[in-house]
Amino acid sequence: LHKELGDELLALPLLPNSDGHQLAEYLMRIHIMLASKGVFSPRLMQFLDIDYEKVQTEEEGAIIQLLDTPIRPPNTVWYMIDDSWLIKWRKFVTGRGPRRYLPPGKITNHTLVQQLALNRKDIAIAKEYRCINFNVWRFYELVHGGGPIIARQEQDIYSPKGISFIHAIILVQTRIRIYLSKKERILLYMKRLSTCQVAK
C-alpha cells in the first residue's frame, strides 16, 4: 500500500512498524493529505475494505433527495443541466450488484452552450436538459466537476439569465477572498523587500 500511495502523493509519512495505533495514525494522515487536495485514494479505501463506490452511490441519492426541496421560494433561479449526463448519474446511483455503473464523469453542459451559440430554438426540456435548484447544482459541481453554469429565471433555457441569492453570496465571498489574498501577498513582498534594502 505504501509503495502504491507513492504514485499519488509526492511526500508520504514514514511507514510505521507493526504497531496498530501507529498504523491507524499513518492511514489517518494519508487520508487528511488526500482530502486537502480534494481527492481520495481507491487504494486506501480497498485497504480498509470499504466499498467506496457503494457508499458514494447510496449517499449521493440520499443527499440529492434532501437538497431537491419541493418548496420554491419567490424569485427561484433555475440551473439547467444536460439530460444525457443526468441519465448517466441516475444509472450510477441506482445501479446495484452486477448492474453497477461507473460515475458519470464531469457535467457536460457545454453541449447545451454550443446549441445556444448556434441559435437553435428548439432545445427541449425533459429531453435535452432538466431544471434543478442551486443546492443540487452546487452538489453536482463539487462532487463531479464540469459545467459551465447555465442559470435562468424560469424553467426555460431561453428565459432571461439569473443568479440565485446563495450563488451571488458565494461569488462575492470568493472575490473578497481573492482580493484579500493578493493584498496580503503584496504586503508580504513589500515587507521582505524593505528588509533586504535595510540589510544592504
Side-chain angles (χ1 to χ4, degrees), residues 70-87:
I71 300 173
R72 307 300 183 200
N75 303 319
T76 295
V77 174
W78 298 95
Y79 290 76
M80 315 293 134
I81 190 163
D82 180 30
D83 192 57
S84 61
W85 182 88
L86 205 55
I87 289 172

Side-chain angles (χ1 to χ4, degrees), residues 54-74:
K54 180 180 179 181
V55 172
Q56 184 179 2
T57 55
E58 292 177 351
E59 291 298 320
E60 279 204 34
I63 290 170
I64 291 299
Q65 286 183 345
L66 291 174
L67 294 177
D68 192 18
T69 171
I71 300 173
R72 307 300 183 200

Side-chain angles (χ1 to χ4, degrees), residues 111-122:
T111 57
L112 296 173
V113 173
Q114 290 171 355
Q115 296 299 317
L116 289 171
L118 294 172
N119 291 321
R120 186 180 156 197
K121 302 298 183 183
D122 59 346

Side-chain angles (χ1 to χ4, degrees), residues 7-8 31 36 48 52 65 73 89 101 118 160 174 188 199:
D7 298 331
E8 300 175 6
H31 179 68
S36 67
L48 296 173
Y52 63 92
Q65 286 183 345
W89 178 84
Y101 291 90
L118 294 172
T174 301
L188 181 61

Side-chain angles (χ1 to χ4, degrees), residues 41 72 97 102 121 162 180:
S41 171
R72 307 300 183 200
L102 294 173
K121 302 298 183 183
L180 293 176

